[in-house]
């Protein structure tokens, strides 16, 4: 038996491999561990939903509303927010372990997954539900190559400027109606020795995104929706001279005299730190999305009274009232009946109302803004506060709604170079043209 | 949250977790200890060893066949208990047959009888198993491929044996058996064959294996000792090798494979991904390398380095050893290296340069500080307090640490009070040094007292003729003089002169200002990893035999001589472990960069780049290439380090 | 300088002599400042944290336990208690099992003679250099599907590792940690075990002890300091790990680790970052307990009387 033992083991191993091979060809996979499936089935159906929203109140509201729906249907619904959703969802999909439904903040990502066959098209019932509950302008973001994959579940309004009406009145400033009036106001405030704007683009891993929002809003204003679409679709290069000039416009507006940056430089100032200086009067205006209400100092009230904060529409140039929006879309990774039924429910005004009520209560109730907004058709407006109703009004009356471009571009750009090279430009390390050229170079072929 | 801390639900969860872990660990332990005990029998009782080993082989073979559903019967709808029984009874019974055979062979020293018994029973057993093979797995034999693969494998086996200088017959039998199995079950379609065919496919190789075993003589004492010795290494290694293969080696091979493919892992692009990494301006930005020679860090470093070199050369002439660790030339040379590296790497920019900078800085400072603290604390009162505080950052997660430090570095508009510690100190320092109040006076006094102390330290060294520390003290005093001069005359700290000629406070953007923002990020990791270095080296210092230290002290060595000449050589390999581990760990750093800057402001590092490419941008190819670059660039450093440690040990 | 009488120079020299100890405590002070700031901020309200530095705590008008309240009671992602239990279910096996496996391997590399052991050791330790991100997707697939391999040319798929349905369990997390921990564990333990005095082993061999007995009776007890050191690190690395726990079990609310819960507490865009100081302390509590509990094993003289020859 000298030294043949290892060889015997090796042969045993080889034999196992071949034996296993035969097992597979026989139609069965691997060993007899299929006892587990029956155990899961006994517990009923569970649907797992993931998404980037993870605050106690946001995620709590989603869990509560979906849980209540699940109880009616006899389904267990789990919502899990994730701090690292963007990376996590890729890993889960590649690893063969996706959730049943995920809520996408980026339609571009949804489209990628749809084209790779990871997310599935809505079934007829769910597609009909979303067509009925949301306008075409929103549903188009969940539409990939003519097939509806996504259900809009949340809307953000980005073309807003936060200000204090009482402070405006005290200084004799008026809310600008056109972009020229806006720049004139900026100049006037600066000339009066004050700082017109609060700007900060630091946001941890997403540093730079407020800059991209400004650029997108301005492209929409200066060059119109058509050029915007071409830019986002990469039909014109990123360093097209129109885009470069728009980036330059933004940078020119953000001069030392025009901007109060609470950390001393725009690139170093956290975007969420702009609420306090606005309330304190260090600056007069802050262009930021509807959800910024949640970043105002504690106890801030909204309205036209003394010390209160309000918003005005970021004025347009050509009178076409374009609106930059953003939001989230839900899509399913399988076409089980329960998954599709939940997707259909997510599109309904019932869901939006229930979530709004739950979230507002969790934020403290009363006149507190929930930070949530939905553009679903047929919601009861009374669940929203007056300011939120005015957001809805802007969304409804807008002739042109465009989704946040960086969320539509490939992630390399939209969550990559547009942020980083844009930040370099803001920081003065690169010119607008250099930054645009680098972003263009990074666009995937 | 009311009432009992743990509810029944929690208890049952804890219990089930405990049971799971106990079963998993217990089963593995029984298996491992069992194997050890089994091989203990080789020397004590050869028969018992054969009986047990034979049983184990038979049991495993049949279990694997049964587990893969290759043997009849297999009831489709039986419940899990019945299925478990079916799974187990053949192996349990079959094990006895194998066991009996092994005992018979172990008792028999006659060559001819051994051959007959082994090959005969191989034929019978193989044939029996072949007949019992389930219908879906029966092959439709094709003679030509069967013979071909048997001949090829047999030939290869014989060839290898000849090359190694052994007799070819046994290896040929083994190879032939393997070839026959592959030709019999691997090549043809399965499921169409008859019982006879699968019997032939299984019996022939079993016969060959039997013959091979039968041909070898029953192990004598020497042979048994060899089995005993050879088996131990593998028994102790196999658990580790299994885990490492599954969770590290296989994924790495997959990654290297993917790095040669395109974004969607479909087509081969060979080294295009690597090319794109190296040609990217963000990876390598060395265009203005000439600025190195105008960098004051570099020039000053070179100057100090030359001074150190000069001291060392002079000393070597006089004592024969000018560059000993802890000697007079040591400190200036160390300082010079750090300054020169900083000078060079602050000019050459890009992801790869950043990584080099990180590796150098964090490794040097964490090891140095960790060692210093371990040594100093070793003889200090309140040792455990000091060590606990240094260790504390390790207990805070990397993400938590990054958030703390973002808070330390944060700057605020100078019209408001600073919330970041560093800027608060910096701005206050600026205020004091440019002001004229009591703090200014006290500060001026303090800095000059420090200068005086430095001078006194130099004087003491000179007076007592211990020149070892003179250069370091001169350097430290020079720095103090510079600070004192600036404080007194120009002002030092966070202030600037505005257009109106007034002195106003000014902040530093630690995280945003290139290129030294990188150093401030490294500080975070140094803050964390010093605790790591300290704990490991402290354990090593404790293990230095007290006798050696006492002996040195009796010979009249000073504290610092004991450290440089006794302790340090004793813990050399441990320092090697710390340095190697830190190099690798720093090379892979990504959390800090991700949380604090996410690669903005010229602070990108390889691992974060890889994370983004692979997981955010879905550029699998480039991500894999970055991972491979990361791996292969540290590999030589590691191998050299470990080789050196092996030689030293 | 008059040497006989104690004067100002002696005082200065005495002071200088204490500089090393002074440096130690200076480093300790600098090291503790960020943590101290974190500790103080954990008791301050959001607006106070944002408005002034922690050293201004005296002007706050009182500390608040509100942050801790929220950290303790938040339950959307998972309750504190549940997530702590999960973290223990991950960190304990992920600490104990690698220690055992690595100790076997380190002993084999150090004291068992076999062909190619030096190179096998180098190869094993070199795996330290592998960025663990590369293994996430392959391992997730392994836990999800098992491991199957299609033999080239023969077109037959073989099962190497069956699917045990481990995905989304804490078991998957600690198994992953076990694999990743081994290169470092083997490296560290080998360094220590290989330097144990040779005479001990020779004496034991002469007495007829086999490797198993030597390992169990001699090596393990003598290696306690290094085992404790490794246990400390491995426990806190696995306790503080976010990436692996999130990848392997992030979508199962019954397997959420504390790190995931805390990351979610921070909120979208870091809206609730003021909770993080409190959360960081809650998170760091158990690693510190482990450190203090194991620190007493770092004692001098465990090898007393056995100077390496």
């Amino acid at each position: 038996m000298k030294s043949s033992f290892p060889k015997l083991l090796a042969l045993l191993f080889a034999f196992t491999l071949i034996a296993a091979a035969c097992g597979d060809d026989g139609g069965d996979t691997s060993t007899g561990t299929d006892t587990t499936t029956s155990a899961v089935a006994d517990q009923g159906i569970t649907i797992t939903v993931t998404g980037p929203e993870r605050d106690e109140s946001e995620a709590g509201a989603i869990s509560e509303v979906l849980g209540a729906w699940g109880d009616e249907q006899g389904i267990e619904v789990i919502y899990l927010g994730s701090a690292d959703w963007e990376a996590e969802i890729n890993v889960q999909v590649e690893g063969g372990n996706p959730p049943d439904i995920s809520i996408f903040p980026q339609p571009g990502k949804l489209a990628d997954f749809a084209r790779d066959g990871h997310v599935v098209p809505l079934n007829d019932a769910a597609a009909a539900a979303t067509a009925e509950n949301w306008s075409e302008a929103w549903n188009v973001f969940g539409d990939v190559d003519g097939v509806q994959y996504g259900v809009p579940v949340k809307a953000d309004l980005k073309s807003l400027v936060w200000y204090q009406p009482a402070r405006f009145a005290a200084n004799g400033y008026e809310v600008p109606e056109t972009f020229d009036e806006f720049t004139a106001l900026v100049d006037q405030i600066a000339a009066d020795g004050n700082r017109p704007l609060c700007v900060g683009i630091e946001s941890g891993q997403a540093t730079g995104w407020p800059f991209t929002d400004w650029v997108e809003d301005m492209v929409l204003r200066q060059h119109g929706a058509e050029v915007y679409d071409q830019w986002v679709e990469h039909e014109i290069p990123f360093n097209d001279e129109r885009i470069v000039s728009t980036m330059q416009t933004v940078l020119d507006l953000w001069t030392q005299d025009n901007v109060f940056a609470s950390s001393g430089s725009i690139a170093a100032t956290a975007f969420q730190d702009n609420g306090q200086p606005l309330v304190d009067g260090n600056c007069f205006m802050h262009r930021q999305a509807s959800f910024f209400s949640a970043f105002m100092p504690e106890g801030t009230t909204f309205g036209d009274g003394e010390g209160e904060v309000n918003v005005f529409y970021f004025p347009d140039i050509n009178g076409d009232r374009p609106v930059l929006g953003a939001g989230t879309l839900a899509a399913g990774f399988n076409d089980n009946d329960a998954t599709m039924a939940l997707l259909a429910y997510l599109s309904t005004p019932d869901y939006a109302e229930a979530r709004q009520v739950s979230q507002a209560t969790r934020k403290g109730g009363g006149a507190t803004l929930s930070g949530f907004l939905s553009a679903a058709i047929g919601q009861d407006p009374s669940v929203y506060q007056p300011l939120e109703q005015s957001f809805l009004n802007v969304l409804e009356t807008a002739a042109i709604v465009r989704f946040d471009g960086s969320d539509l571009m490939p992630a390399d750009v939209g969550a990559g170079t547009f942020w980083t090279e844009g930040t370099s430009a803001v920081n003065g390390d690169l010119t607008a043209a250099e930054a645009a050229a680098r972003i263009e170079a990074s666009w995937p072929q | 949250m009311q009432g009992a801390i743990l509810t029944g639900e929690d208890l049952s969860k804890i219990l089930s977790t405990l049971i799971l872990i106990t079963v998993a660990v217990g089963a593995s332990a029984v298996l491992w200890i069992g194997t050890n005990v089994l091989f203990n029998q080789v020397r004590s009782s050869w028969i018992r060893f054969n009986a047990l080993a034979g049983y184990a082989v038979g049991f495993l073979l049949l279990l694997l066949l049964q587990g893969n559903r290759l043997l009849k019967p297999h009831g489709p709808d039986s419940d899990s208990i019945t299925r478990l029984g079916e799974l187990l009874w053949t192996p349990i019974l079959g094990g006895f047959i194998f066991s009996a055979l092994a005992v018979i062979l172990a008792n028999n020293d006659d060559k001819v009888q051994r051959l007959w018994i082994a090959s005969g029973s191989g034929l019978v057993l193989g044939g029996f198993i072949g007949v019992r093979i389930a219908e879906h797995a029966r092959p439709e034999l094709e003679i030509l491929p069967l013979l071909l693969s048997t001949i090829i494998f047999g030939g290869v086996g014989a060839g290898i044996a000849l090359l190694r200088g052994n007799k070819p017959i046994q290896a040929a039998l083994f190879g032939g058996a393997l070839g026959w199995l592959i030709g019999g079950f691997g090549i043809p379609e399965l499921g169409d064959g008859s019982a006879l065919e699968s019997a032939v496919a299984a019996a022939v190789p079993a016969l060959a294996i039997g013959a091979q075993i039968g041909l070898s003589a029953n192990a004598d004492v020497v042979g048994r000792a060899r089995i005993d010795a050879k088996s131990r290494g593998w028994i102790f290694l196999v658990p580790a090798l299994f885990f490492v293969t599954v969770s590290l080696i296989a994924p790495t091979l997959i990654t290297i494979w993917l790095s040669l493919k395109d974004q969607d892992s479909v087509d081969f692009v060979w080294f295009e991904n690597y090319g794109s990494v190296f040609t990217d301006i963000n990876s390598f930005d060395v265009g203005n390398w000439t600025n190195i020679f105008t960098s004051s860090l570099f020039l000053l470093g070179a100057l100090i380095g030359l001074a150190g070199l000069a001291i060392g050369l002079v000393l070597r002439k006089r004592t024969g050893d000018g560059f000993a660790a802890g000697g007079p030339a040591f400190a200036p040379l160390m300082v010079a290296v750090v300054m020169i590296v900083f000078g060079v790497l602050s000019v050459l920019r890009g992801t790869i340069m950043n990584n080099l900078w990180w590796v150098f800085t964090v490794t040097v400072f964490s090891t140095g500080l960790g060692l210093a603290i371990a040594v100093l604390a070793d003889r200090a009162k309140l040792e455990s307090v000091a060590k606990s505080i240094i260790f504390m950052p390790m207990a805070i997660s990397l993400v938590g640490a990054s958030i703390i430090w973002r808070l330390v570095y944060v700057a605020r508009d100078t019209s408001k009070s600073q919330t970041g510690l560093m800027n608060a100190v910096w701005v206050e320092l600026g205020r004091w040094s440019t002001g004229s109040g009591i703090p200014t006076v006290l500060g001026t006094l303090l800095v000059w007292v420090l200068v005086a102390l430095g001078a006194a330290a130099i004087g003491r060294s000179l007076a007592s003729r211990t020149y070892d520390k003179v250069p370091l003290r001169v350097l430290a005093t020079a720095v103090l003089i510079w600070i004192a001069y600036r404080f007194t005359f120009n002002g030092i700290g966070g202030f600037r002169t505005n257009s109106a000629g007034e002195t106003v406070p000014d902040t530093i953007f630690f995280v945003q200002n290139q290129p030294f923002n990188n150093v401030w990020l490294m500080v975070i990791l140094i803050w964390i990893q010093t605790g790591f270095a300290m704990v490991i080296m402290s354990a090593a210092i404790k293990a230095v035999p007290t006798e050696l230290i006492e002996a040195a002290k009796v010979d009249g060595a000073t504290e610092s001589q004991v450290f440089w000449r006794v302790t340090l050589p004793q813990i050399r390999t441990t320092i090697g472990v710390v340095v190697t581990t830190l190099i690798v760990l720093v090379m892979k750093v990504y959390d800090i960069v991700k949380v604090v800057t996410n690669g903005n402001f010229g602070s990108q590092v390889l691992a974060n780049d890889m994370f983004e490419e692979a997981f955010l941008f879905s550029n699998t190819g480039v991500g894999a290439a970055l991972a491979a670059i990361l791996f292969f660039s540290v590999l030589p450093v590691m191998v050299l380090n470990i080789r050196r440690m092996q030689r030293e040990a | 300088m008059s040497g006989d009488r104690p004067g100002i120079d002696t005082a200065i020299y005495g002071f200088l002599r204490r500089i090393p100890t002074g440096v130690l405590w200076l480093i300790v002070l600098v090291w503790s400042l960020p943590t101290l700031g974190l500790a103080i901020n954990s008791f301050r309200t959001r607006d106070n944290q944002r408005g002034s530095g922690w050293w201004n705590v005296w002007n706050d008008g009182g500390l608040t336990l509100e942050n801790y309240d929220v950290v303790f009671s938040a339950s959307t992602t998972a309750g504190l208690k549940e997530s702590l239990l999960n973290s223990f279910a991950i960190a304990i096996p992920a600490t104990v099992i690698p220690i055992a496996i690595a100790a076997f391997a380190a002993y084999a590399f150090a004291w068992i003679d076999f062909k190619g052991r030096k190179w096998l050791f180098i190869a094993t330790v070199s795996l330290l250099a592998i960025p663990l991100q590369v293994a996430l997707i392959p391992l997730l697939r392994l836990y999800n599907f098992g491991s199957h391999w299609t033999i080239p040319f023969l077109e037959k798929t073989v099962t190497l590792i069956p699917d045990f349905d481990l995905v989304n369990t804490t078991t998957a997390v600690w198994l992953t940690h076990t694999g990743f921990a081994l290169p470092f564990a083997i490296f560290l333990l080998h360094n220590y075990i290989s330097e144990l005095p040779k005479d001990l082993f020779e004496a034991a061999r002469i007495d007829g002890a086999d490797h198993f007995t030597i390992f169990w009776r001699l090596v393990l007890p003598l290696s306690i300091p290094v085992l404790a050191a490794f246990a400390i690190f491995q426990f806190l690395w696995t306790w503080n790990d976010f990436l692996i726990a999130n990848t392997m079990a992030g979508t199962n609310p019954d397997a959420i680790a504390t790190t995931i819960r805390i990351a979610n507490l921070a909120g979208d865009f870091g809206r609730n970052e003021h909770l993080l100081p409190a959360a960081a302390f809650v998170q760091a509590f158990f690693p510190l307990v482990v450190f203090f509990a194991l620190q007493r094993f770092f004692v001098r003289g465990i090898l007393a009387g056995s100077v390496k020859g």
Side-chain angles (χ1 to χ4, degrees), chain C residues 73-86:
Chain C
S73 65
S75 62
T76 297
T77 306
L80 176 73
K81 188 178 58 183
E82 287 77 18
S83 65
L84 284 176
L85 285 179
N86 289 329

Side-chain angles (χ1 to χ4, degrees), chain B residues 319-475:
Chain B
T319 65
D321 184 15
F323 296 98
F330 186 68
L333 285 177
M334 280 289 146
V335 172
V337 168
V338 171
M339 289 178 79
I340 290 173
V341 169
F342 272 50
V344 171
L345 289 175
S346 60
V347 173
L348 307 179
R349 308 298 313 126
T351 310
I352 291 173
M353 291 300 159
N354 279 344
N355 260 70
L356 290 178
W357 202 0
W358 272 87
V359 167
F360 174 81
T361 313
V362 178
T363 310
V364 165
F365 282 90
S366 284
T367 317
L369 280 169
L371 182 59
I373 294 162
V375 172
L376 292 173
D378 195 44
R379 54 186 191 215
K381 288 176 203 160
L382 299 176
E383 174 187 354
S384 66
V385 174
K387 276 162 64 175
S388 304
I389 287 175
I390 303 293
F391 175 82
M392 188 97 72
M394 283 226 75
I396 293 169
S397 60
L398 267 183
V399 177
S402 307
I403 287 162
I404 298 178
W405 281 88
R406 227 164 53 187
L407 229 83
V408 171
Y409 291 147
V410 76
R412 297 236 297 164
D413 190 86
T414 46
S415 64
K416 309 211 166 184
S417 82
Q418 296 297 323
T419 54
L421 181 65
M422 299 272 281
N423 267 310
V425 169
W426 188 242
V427 166
E428 206 56 31
L429 191 65
R431 234 174 242 146
W432 287 355
S433 65
T434 56
S436 56
I438 294 174
T440 311
V441 176
L442 286 179
T444 316
L445 209 62
L446 178 72
V447 288
W448 287 109
V449 166
L450 284 176
V451 170
L453 276 174
I458 298 171
R460 178 175 169 79
S461 298
L462 291 174
S464 63
R465 294 177 189 277
T466 48
Y467 299 112
D468 280 10
K469 292 175 186 160
V470 173
L472 182 63
R473 288 177 181 181
V474 169
L475 273 178

Side-chain angles (χ1 to χ4, degrees), chain A residues 1-2 5 7-8 10-12 14-16 18-20 22-23 26 28 30-32 34-35 84 86-87 90-91 109 202 204-205 207 260-265 267-268 280 282 411-412 415-416 420-421 423 427 429 438, chain B residues 39 46 50 57 61 64-65 67-70 80 83 114 136-137 174 178 181-182 185 190 209 212-213 216-219 226 281-282 406 411-413 415-416 509 512 514 594-596 598 600-601 611 615-619:
Chain A
M1 189 122 180
K2 202 180 131 188
F5 188 71
K7 286 182 198 156
L8 191 64
L11 187 77
L12 193 71
F15 196 79
T16 317
I18 294 156
C22 313
D28 293 319
S30 79
T31 51
D34 48 358
T35 44
D84 207 8
E86 282 82 358
N90 276 328
V91 176
K109 180 109 195 168
E202 200 276 341
Q205 297 174 36
T207 294
F260 179 84
S262 60
S263 291
S265 100
D280 292 348
N282 296 111
D412 311 46
T420 53
E421 306 298 347
T423 303
N427 213 30
D429 300 329
R438 286 196 183 192
Chain B
F39 279 86
W46 178 240
N50 272 280
V57 170
L61 175 70
L64 285 164
L65 289 175
N68 283 291
R69 301 174 181 183
L70 296 177
S80 57
R83 259 206 302 252
R114 279 178 65 85
H136 66 79
F174 179 79
L178 190 65
L181 278 175
I182 290 173
F185 287 101
L190 298 179
I209 294 296
Q212 192 225 352
I213 295 171
S216 56
N218 199 6
R226 263 188 60 185
I281 181 94
N282 290 319
R406 227 164 53 187
R412 297 236 297 164
D413 190 86
S415 64
K416 309 211 166 184
F509 300 116
Q512 283 83 16
Q514 297 185 42
K594 188 176 174 212
V595 175
V596 181
N598 199 28
N600 274 308
F601 316 113
F611 188 90
F615 295 153
L616 290 178
F617 307 156
S618 302
N619 291 334

Side-chain angles (χ1 to χ4, degrees), chain C residues 117-139:
Chain C
R117 80 173 165 167
K118 274 193 175 173
W119 284 105
L120 192 59
F121 174 69
I122 291 179
T124 312
V125 175
S126 302
L127 299 175
L128 250 181
I130 295 171
L132 59 85
Q133 286 94 336
V134 306
L136 292 181
I137 291 172
L139 284 179

Side-chain angles (χ1 to χ4, degrees), chain A residues 51-66:
Chain A
E53 285 183 277
R54 60 187 189 275
D55 284 60
E56 226 12 50
S57 43
E58 271 80 352
I62 298 175
S63 290
E64 181 189 328
V65 174
L66 297 188

Side-chain angles (χ1 to χ4, degrees), chain A residues 23-319:
Chain A
D24 273 3
D25 278 18
D28 293 319
T29 48
S30 79
T31 51
T33 52
D34 48 358
T35 44
T36 46
T37 42
S38 58
V40 173
D42 289 343
Q43 290 166 357
I45 305 168
T46 303
I47 300 184
T48 308
V49 184
T50 65
E53 285 183 277
R54 60 187 189 275
D55 284 60
E56 226 12 50
S57 43
E58 271 80 352
I62 298 175
S63 290
E64 181 189 328
V65 174
L66 297 188
W69 177 83
D71 288 344
E72 281 172 22
Q73 312 288 321
I75 299 170
E76 189 185 359
V77 185
I78 294 166
Y79 174 79
L80 272 175
S82 170
D84 207 8
W85 180 87
E86 282 82 358
E88 187 187 294
I89 193 73
N90 276 328
V91 176
Q92 285 168 343
V93 165
E94 292 285 322
N97 186 36
D100 296 297
I101 293 175
S102 203
I103 297 178
F104 293 74
Q106 296 146 358
K109 180 109 195 168
L110 174 61
D112 283 348
F113 276 179
R115 294 197 181 103
D116 290 345
H118 297 310
V119 296
V120 296
L122 298 179
N123 68 7
D124 293 344
T130 188
E132 186 191 328
N133 292 323
W134 287 75
S135 68
E136 179 56 25
W138 284 96
N139 273 325
V140 72
F141 302 125
D143 178 313
V144 183
D145 305 330
V147 181
Q148 192 74 25
Y149 284 85
V151 171
V153 290
K154 179 171 165 281
D156 290 317
L157 174 57
K158 295 210 160 186
S159 303
L160 291 177
V161 181
W162 296 82
Y163 74 116
Q164 284 189 302
R167 203 181 294 276
F168 261 48
N171 286 276
Y173 305 145
E174 290 196 1
V175 170
E177 293 290 330
T178 67
F179 193 73
D180 286 339
E181 287 179 29
F182 178 78
T183 48
L185 178 62
V186 167
D187 292 342
Q188 191 192 343
I189 298 175
D192 292 347
N194 290 314
R195 301 284 178 86
L197 297 169
C198 269
V199 184
I201 62 167
E202 200 276 341
S203 185
Q205 297 174 36
T207 294
W209 71 262
F211 173 70
T212 68
D213 274 14
W214 269 85
V215 171
E216 288 154 10
D217 232 349
M218 288 307 298
V219 169
L220 214 46
R221 275 157 182 71
Q222 288 184 329
H223 309 299
E226 200 175 319
V227 173
Y228 183 88
D229 292 340
Q230 289 171 347
W231 174 53
V232 169
E233 296 289 325
H234 204 222
E235 284 157 13
I236 57 171
F238 201 104
N239 55 347
D240 185 280
E241 61 184 40
R242 286 167 291 190
I243 308 299
V244 174
S245 90
T246 303
M247 287 169 73
Q248 195 56 51
T249 311
V250 174
L251 295 175
D252 288 344
L253 204 58
W254 289 4
T255 59
Q256 187 123 43
D257 291 335
N258 284 347
V259 170
F260 179 84
S262 60
S263 291
S265 100
I266 294 174
T269 302
F271 96 98
Q272 65 265 40
D273 284 350
N274 288 314
Q276 189 73 48
L278 184 74
V279 172
D280 292 348
N282 296 111
C283 66
F284 279 72
M285 296 182 282
H286 180 45
R287 196 220 74 102
Q288 194 45 272
S290 53
F291 58 71
F292 196 74
S293 59
F295 295 96
M296 290 294 175
E298 268 169 60
T300 305
T301 54
F302 301 94
D304 289 338
E306 184 66 36
E308 291 191 318
V309 174
N310 207 336
V311 297
F312 62 80
Y313 167 74
F314 187 45
D316 61 4
I317 296 174
N318 303 321

Side-chain angles (χ1 to χ4, degrees), chain B residues 13-30, chain C residues 85-98 166 169-175 178:
Chain B
K13 190 176 161 189
I14 294 174
L15 205 65
S16 64
T17 311
L18 277 179
I19 291 173
L20 177 80
I21 294 171
T22 319
V23 169
V25 173
S28 317
V30 165
Chain C
L85 285 179
N86 289 329
S87 282
F88 277 118
I90 292 167
I92 294 176
T95 306
V96 176
I97 295 173
L166 289 175
T169 63
T170 47
T171 312
V173 184
W174 63 254
L175 277 177
T178 301

